Amino acid sequence: MRNLSSLKQEFLKRWIKGLRKYNSQKKDMNLLERKKAIKLSADLAMASTKDKTTLWRKAFIANTSTNIDEQDISTSPSQKQKKIAKKNLTNSCRLYRKTIIGSRKISRRNRVKERVDASFIATKLVKKRTRTLKSLLPGGKFMDDACLVDETLDYIQSLKAQVEVMRCLVTASELFINPPIIDFII
Amino acid sequence: MLHCLNTSGNLAGGEETTISDMTVLQRQKARINFQQFSSSQQFMMVACDSALGEVVANSIKPDPSFGKDTVKKRKAEINNNNSNNSKVDVIVPECDKRIKVSADEEESKTSDQISKGHKNTKANNGTKNNRENSGDTNSKEKLDYIHVRARRGQATDSHSLAERVRREKISERMKYLQDLVPGCNKIAGKAGMLDEIINYVQSLQRQVEFLSMKLAAVNPRLDFNIDELFTKEVFPQNFPTIGMQSDMTNPTYLQFNSSQQLVSSCGGLINNMGIIPPEIGLRRNINIPAASSLPEIFDSSCFTHILPSSSWEGDFQNLHSMDFDQGRSMCFPSQPFTGMVEASNLKMEM
């Protein structure tokens, strides 16, 4: 694992480079556009500072490249449709599962059923959480469990570094724009 | 290897029939483990000696072409010798146990393989192929983790072994995650831990969002004077005395490596002046980025002003720095809370 400060430094360099690129592309932006550009460049910079072996980095870069290629407006309806279709699918699956489980439950004794229920609920909870975690991580859909935990570790670390650097920059720019009063002499 | 084993057998045995018997054992051993070093021969021989009586009683047919056979031929012979087979299989694990005392990982591996082979001979023909396949995969896995062994009552087939290893790996990583994610130490269950991790990742992502928003709001232009900040940061390295002020106005940059030298040089300078120990500078670095309250900025500003314009009066500076330090340490605990409030505000805005 690399040194955290060197990581931050690398991140800042890349970030600024990306920002400059954006700045040269487009001059006048409103607030949201600026924010988007800043965030995207920061994320990209963070991803590019990482080793090439990490999965989420690859996934993130791939995602952003596809997003830049396609327009947001054109993709959003199709995505919605897909989501709806997925929901329908999952609902039907759930129903199916429920029926199966119900039939199983009937065949077993009470005590056994309770125990099985508890463990089943626990595994279900864990599975649910893993799914949400997968949705949070870039490229999490394609990871197995062990890989997921690993990547989460990596991701959290890089996010932490990113947040720290950004916070530093925010305070620095605030100080720069509203310079503190320095005429005060004791 | 084989010849070496045979010669040792020759030295030990002497009689023709016993030698042949021993070579049967030795060759099977050699078939299983080609890399075994010669020091294990002694164990082998001891084992063979103990096993000799049994084998002789079984009256294996004496080997006519002793010492010239290839390993394959020998193997075939052993396999054909059905009446002997079970006996040999029983004996070989024994000598392996003895070898295991010498504590080599390779040998434990071979013992596993031997036991597997033992199962093979006893299993039906239908399951034999399966077993062999699983053995192959197992040997592949063993390249990664040899030390995995089933405890009493645990399943030993390759799938459950692999599954166990996977689970151990995950739990280990989860421990690391526990250390990394704040507030995750007290939670025992996996679901709760995952919950906490999810929350943390989400909060970090939101923070990134919020900070980028803030940056966009603060800076009307996109490059937000980074160049100037950088020039202010980089140039003073040559002129530390001038750089002091500008650097202190952007104290956040002190955290980066590029300015480490600057910090150290400043510290050195300060030390030479005998004014402030360098820890104070470091503490400033930690504190100021989070500082948002007015008096602190005020403090730092007057402090920065004093440093470059100092008339080298050590005592006075010392006093001031002490005051400054105390005030800072007083202020410090409240800062995380202000940060939290900001974050919550952000959430509200979002």
Side-chain angles (χ1 to χ4, degrees):
Chain A
M1 202 141 281
R2 248 194 306 176
N3 194 11
L4 198 67
S5 58
S6 74
L7 188 100
K8 280 182 191 168
Q9 194 189 356
E10 185 80 20
F11 162 66
L12 189 73
K13 262 185 206 164
R14 282 171 198 259
W15 188 21
I16 286 157
K17 216 182 264 176
L19 274 178
R20 260 186 213 143
K21 220 171 253 177
Y22 266 106
N23 204 32
S24 62
Q25 274 176 9
K26 216 172 175 185
K27 279 294 169 194
D28 296 320
M29 291 197 231
N30 61 16
L31 185 71
L32 280 180
E33 273 176 336
R34 249 183 288 143
K35 180 230 160 189
K36 213 180 225 173
I38 286 169
K39 187 173 180 295
L40 191 65
S41 57
D43 285 346
L44 268 179
M46 199 64 242
S48 59
T49 45
K50 277 292 167 188
D51 298 336
K52 284 179 183 173
T53 51
T54 49
L55 279 177
W56 69 265
R57 165 192 183 275
K58 281 182 198 166
F60 185 81
I61 287 170
N63 277 344
T64 44
S65 62
T66 50
N67 278 345
I68 289 165
D69 288 346
E70 298 166 15
Q71 284 298 314
D72 286 350
I73 304 153
S74 64
T75 53
S76 56
S78 62
Q79 275 178 354
K80 270 182 188 172
Q81 278 174 3
K82 270 180 196 171
K83 270 184 185 173
I84 289 163
K86 262 188 186 174
K87 266 190 181 175
N88 284 336
L89 248 177
T90 48
N91 276 339
S92 62
C93 279
R94 262 178 217 156
L95 279 176
Y96 182 62
R97 264 186 223 155
K98 270 181 187 172
T99 51
I100 286 176
I101 292 149
S103 62
R104 269 183 201 163
K105 271 178 195 168
I106 293 160
S107 64
R108 283 176 188 171
R109 266 188 242 162
N110 258 348
R111 216 186 293 163
V112 177
K113 201 171 82 183
E114 275 171 19
R115 211 181 298 155
V116 166
D117 269 2
S119 67
F120 179 74
I121 286 167
T123 49
K124 206 174 151 192
L125 278 176
V126 169
K127 265 184 190 169
K128 204 175 157 192
R129 304 278 148 73
T130 354
R131 222 178 299 138
T132 40
L133 191 60
K134 271 181 189 175
S135 67
L136 276 180
L137 240 69
K141 287 172 197 165
F142 314 106
M143 296 172 192
D144 57 336
D145 274 10
C147 192
L148 182 78
V149 179
D150 235 1
E151 295 289 318
T152 316
L153 258 174
D154 201 72
Y155 188 58
I156 284 178
Q157 257 173 352
S158 56
L159 264 184
K160 255 186 184 171
Q162 189 180 349
V163 164
E164 275 172 41
V165 171
M166 288 178 88
R167 190 170 284 159
C168 289
L169 205 60
V170 165
T171 43
S173 53
E174 269 178 352
L175 280 177
F176 189 78
I177 286 168
N178 313 316
I181 310 147
I182 41 174
D183 319 63
F184 188 75
I185 305 169
I186 302 169
Chain B
M1 182 71 203
L2 264 178
H3 281 279
C4 168
L5 282 172
N6 284 335
T7 49
S8 72
N10 215 343
L11 285 170
E15 282 178 316
E16 188 81 12
T17 53
T18 52
I19 289 166
S20 68
D21 292 335
M22 285 182 73
T23 51
V24 170
L25 278 174
Q26 282 167 345
R27 273 164 196 265
Q28 190 172 8
K29 182 70 194 158
R31 168 175 67 105
I32 291 154
N33 183 14
F34 289 103
Q35 308 138 342
Q36 199 167 357
F37 46 87
S38 58
S39 69
S40 65
Q41 280 174 30
Q42 293 166 359
F43 289 101
M44 280 288 300
M45 277 160 58
V46 172
C48 288
D49 279 333
S50 68
L52 249 178
E54 274 182 292
V55 178
V56 171
N58 257 332
S59 75
I60 306 165
K61 66 173 181 182
D63 211 330
S65 56
F66 157 64
K68 292 168 189 172
D69 272 357
T70 59
V71 182
K72 279 182 184 175
K73 244 187 176 177
R74 180 63 67 168
K75 218 201 298 187
E77 210 174 76
I78 289 165
N79 282 337
N80 286 335
N81 215 349
N82 278 331
S83 61
N84 262 342
N85 212 354
S86 60
K87 270 290 171 198
V88 172
D89 270 340
V90 169
I91 291 158
V92 169
E94 270 183 20
C95 45
D96 259 275
K97 271 175 196 165
R98 299 200 182 195
I99 290 164
K100 227 184 284 167
V101 177
S102 71
D104 203 337
E105 276 193 348
E106 278 184 24
E107 269 140 8
S108 68
K109 208 173 170 182
T110 58
S111 80
D112 276 355
Q113 280 176 352
I114 286 163
S115 60
K116 210 142 259 161
H118 191 61
K119 278 175 190 168
N120 262 343
T121 52
K122 285 193 173 175
N124 293 334
N125 278 333
T127 56
K128 204 169 182 177
N129 286 331
N130 253 341
R131 278 281 175 189
E132 274 168 4
N133 283 338
S134 70
D136 281 346
T137 52
N138 221 12
S139 62
K140 270 177 201 168
E141 283 166 13
K142 263 172 193 157
L143 291 179
D144 294 334
Y145 17 79
I146 302 164
H147 59 280
V148 177
R149 312 212 84 199
R151 287 193 206 100
R152 180 183 270 270
Q154 282 181 329
T156 49
D157 60 319
S158 65
H159 289 289
S160 42
L161 266 182
E163 177 62 23
R164 200 174 304 133
V165 167
R166 192 183 75 93
R167 255 181 276 134
E168 276 168 16
K169 208 172 160 191
I170 287 177
S171 61
E172 185 194 342
R173 295 290 148 72
M174 286 298 253
K175 265 175 205 159
Y176 284 129
L177 263 178
Q178 245 181 345
D179 291 340
L180 200 66
V181 177
C184 208
N185 293 323
K186 291 153 196 167
I187 301 161
K190 200 184 173 188
M193 252 163 70
L194 277 174
D195 245 355
E196 205 69 22
I197 289 162
I198 287 164
N199 280 340
Y200 190 58
V201 169
Q202 269 176 338
S203 76
L204 279 176
Q205 281 175 345
R206 273 192 207 123
Q207 268 183 35
V208 168
E209 196 109 338
F210 162 68
L211 285 170
S212 53
M213 192 75 184
K214 206 172 176 186
L215 272 177
V218 165
N219 303 284
R221 280 170 63 236
L222 200 55
D223 56 351
F224 46 84
N225 296 325
I226 282 175
D227 294 335
E228 288 174 51
L229 291 175
F230 257 120
T231 48
K232 276 206 171 188
E233 181 209 4
V234 173
F235 271 105
Q237 286 194 358
N238 302 328
F239 315 101
T241 41
I242 305 165
M244 200 94 74
Q245 187 175 6
S246 64
D247 203 68
M248 291 301 181
T249 49
N250 319 322
T252 51
Y253 281 98
L254 287 174
Q255 285 191 336
F256 301 124
N257 239 0
S258 65
S259 58
Q260 287 284 319
Q261 292 177 346
L262 181 60
V263 173
S264 61
S265 66
C266 283
L269 197 76
I270 291 162
N271 268 340
N272 284 339
M273 296 195 301
I275 298 171
I276 311 156
E279 287 107 309
I280 288 169
L282 286 175
R283 229 171 273 168
R284 283 169 53 78
N285 290 343
I286 297 159
N287 290 339
I288 285 190
S292 52
S293 55
L294 197 130
E296 285 203 3
I297 293 170
F298 194 65
D299 254 3
S300 68
S301 65
C302 74
F303 183 56
T304 49
H305 183 73
I306 282 158
L307 260 185
S309 69
S310 65
S311 51
W312 310 85
E313 289 172 1
D315 290 337
F316 169 66
Q317 292 292 348
N318 238 335
L319 197 78
H320 183 76
S321 71
M322 286 295 280
D323 279 341
F324 172 74
D325 199 37
Q326 277 173 4
R328 190 149 302 282
S329 61
M330 291 285 280
C331 287
F332 184 61
S334 68
Q335 280 165 12
F337 293 108
T338 59
M340 293 278 276
V341 169
E342 275 173 14
S344 63
N345 280 341
L346 155 77
K347 278 173 195 170
M348 295 289 276
E349 281 170 15
M350 294 300 195

